Amino acid sequence: MNRNHLFRRREIEARIADGDIIIISEGRVLLLNGWLDKHPGGRLAVLHMVGRDATDEINVYHSTNTLRLMNKYRIGRIDQPWVNFTPPIRGGIFRPIASDDSSSEDEDSQSDTNSLDYSSATSIEDEVKGAMGPINPRRSSAKKPCPCPPSPDSTAVFHSSSSTKAINHTKPSTGTPIATVSSHQHTTKSYTASIVQKEIDDDLRDYPSLDPFTQQSITLKYQKLHQTVKDEGFYDCRYSEYGKEFLRYSLFFALFITTLRAEWYITSAAFLGLFWHQIMFTAHDAGHMGITHNFVADTLIGMFVADFCCGLSIGWWKSSHNVHHLVTNQPEHDPDIQNVPVFATSPSFFRSLRSSYYDFTFVWDKAADIAVQYQHYTYYPIMGIARFNLYLLSWLHLLSPRSTNLGAASWTRPTEILFMLCYWFIFGYLLLWRTIPTWTLRVIFVLVSHIITMPLHVQITLSHFAMSTADLGDAESFPQKQLRTTMDVSCPPWLDFIHGGLQFQAVHHLFPRVPRHNLRRLQVLVRQFCQETGIEYKILGFVDGNKEVLGRLGEVAGQVEMLVKCQKYMAATGESGLH
């Protein structure tokens, strides 16, 4: 095929319908069928970009050498600007070209509702009726009042799946409500939908408009900022800072060994936990190729730190974390917030969402009803033992087909398994079994060493659990999406070593390969960018950030409590048919 072929939008849609993996980058049409299983960052990172202009995502996630290689996958070009399709993995619907298809490009564009998200074939009135179920106008005055509250926003536009986007992508109207429904008719579906829609409306009000001109302006300013980041050397790693890191890691490890030999087992466990806590920041850097910017070198560093020293799979982390960066805080797609039945940070989970990452449904059941009501109380205790869950996820990943890489990354899976086995031989056999004398001390040693790492898990969740989970559709630009769903944490420079760069999550999400020791300087430019574009740059102190997270968890817990009361009422009266 002619690599300069000018593709019509309808052609690309039809090829995606036939199963082709097509992504747009800098006006080029890239066919990635042969690259999908070789992509070191995992298949899902590619699949979430199908049919989209992924120029910004591709440029900030890949080195200059990798970007050059992408030209060999070019099969043509498009007229810009490009209007994004919704990728198939997110529920996008693509039409093949029938043999008698004579529709024009204009007609095709007008009929493409899954990419523009400005209209819906179903009226709002029908949506409301479908969500509410049959309304019984006859009520007995003797019945006790329904505990269900009115909808948070009576102008409800309901979303029944990940493929259903916000119908109105302009600023929300403040006029008369389209439909007002008595609280007595609220089912789980309708109440959930109204809460989700309210969050969408709030974001549409508080962030720049999603009209093409505004979003394109934000994109161009972001691309100009990225060029400044490259020109001013923000991608240059300051290895002297890692020299300081190495001294700190060595100190904690030496104290662990010294106290262990002195048989101060609990003290030794605390120093081992501090060693794990600190060294995992380097694994995060390596996973983003933010140290040497070389895939092999950074991957080996990540494996040594994560797999060998900590017993956690860097491959699992990269697989989930790359997706997290691309679809941040989207309940159906971001594995970092898919924690049902333990936690729910969005009412969307009330609808038993199917995860595109795990490929199974997080069923909202009685266990979730109970656990989530108390999640703002269980948050810290669970963070204290969260490391045990990471062990499980690591092995599940390595033993699944998902961890199999082809091409240049084919060596990673067996190397990880070897390193992980070494960790368990050293930690499980040599340390716990051979060195620590009693079962009581062994249990205490394990608990202390793992609970000490709790601040790391709190830090990981702090920047996202309190932020928006609303899906504003495919018109939203990459930088606005990242800043809308991510929060930074303020701290003095002398405390940076405790946070390990994770306090600059908003900056990091905009430029994930920038070495963490440069993020504080880059924060200044990001603040300026936010002022120029009108996008809120949210930053709170560590204490206030924790309050924000607990507040969000408490808010969702309250919604669950209300739903449970509502369901009990409706089950008792028989009005809605629930249960």
Side-chain angles (χ1 to χ4, degrees), residues 319-321 323-324 327 330 333-339 357-358:
S319 171
S320 66
H321 199 68
V323 173
H324 158 71
V327 289
Q330 286 189 232
H333 309 296
D334 183 356
D336 279 17
I337 63 168
Q338 293 175 344
N339 302 298
Y357 179 81
Y358 293 107

Side-chain angles (χ1 to χ4, degrees), residues 24 98 215 239 241 264 273 309 340 367 390 399 472 477 484 489 542 564:
I24 309 301
Q215 291 302 305
Y239 293 109
E241 295 297 328
W264 297 354
C309 294
V340 172
L390 302 189
L399 298 177
L472 300 189
S477 62
R484 185 173 60 83
V489 177
F542 185 75
V564 170

Side-chain angles (χ1 to χ4, degrees), residues 216-255:
Q216 181 67 10
S217 174
I218 292 172
T219 295
L220 292 175
K221 290 177 180 177
Y222 171 70
Q223 291 172 352
K224 181 180 178 181
L225 173 60
H226 187 209
Q227 188 59 50
T228 300
V229 168
K230 291 187 286 187
D231 293 343
E232 295 190 6
F234 282 96
Y235 281 113
D236 297 337
C237 183
R238 293 185 284 160
Y239 293 109
S240 60
E241 295 297 328
Y242 280 104
K244 300 174 186 177
E245 300 279 347
F246 180 76
L247 292 176
R248 189 182 313 119
Y249 307 157
S250 299
L251 173 63
F252 284 132
F253 191 78
L255 289 171

Side-chain angles (χ1 to χ4, degrees), residues 274-321:
L274 290 171
F275 170 74
W276 282 338
H277 173 271
Q278 284 291 298
I279 201 170
M280 277 304 293
F281 295 136
T282 297
H284 179 266
D285 301 342
H288 279 291
M289 290 179 58
I291 300 177
T292 69
H293 302 305
N294 176 276
F295 172 73
V296 174
D298 279 350
T299 300
L300 284 172
I301 293 171
M303 286 182 181
F304 175 76
V305 172
D307 297 72
F308 185 83
C309 294
C310 300
L312 305 175
S313 167
I314 192 68
W316 158 76
W317 179 85
K318 289 171 69 173
S319 171
S320 66
H321 199 68

Side-chain angles (χ1 to χ4, degrees), residues 332-384:
E332 298 90 344
H333 309 296
D334 183 356
D336 279 17
I337 63 168
Q338 293 175 344
N339 302 298
V340 172
V342 179
F343 296 129
T345 56
S346 169
S348 295
F349 288 108
F350 303 167
R351 302 179 296 200
S352 295
L353 295 184
R354 184 165 188 83
S355 165
S356 62
Y357 179 81
Y358 293 107
D359 195 25
F360 70 79
T361 300
F362 282 88
V363 176
W364 191 270
D365 53 15
K366 185 66 175 178
D369 275 344
I370 296 173
V372 173
Q373 286 189 62
Y374 302 98
Q375 63 180 355
H376 45 310
Y377 300 114
T378 61
Y379 173 67
Y380 291 116
I382 290 175
M383 288 297 102

Side-chain angles (χ1 to χ4, degrees), residues 396-446:
L396 289 176
H397 172 79
L398 287 176
L399 298 177
S400 74
R402 188 193 298 271
S403 65
T404 302
N405 289 311
L406 302 178
S410 60
W411 58 274
T412 57
R413 184 191 191 191
T415 307
E416 278 205 84
I417 292 175
L418 175 62
F419 280 19
M420 291 267 284
L421 291 174
C422 288
Y423 167 83
W424 284 107
F425 175 75
I426 296 170
F427 178 71
Y429 179 69
L430 296 182
L431 176 57
L432 292 181
W433 184 254
R434 294 294 302 274
T435 306
I436 299 178
T438 67
W439 275 107
T440 301
L441 284 173
R442 288 168 188 156
V443 171
I444 295 174
F445 187 96
V446 169

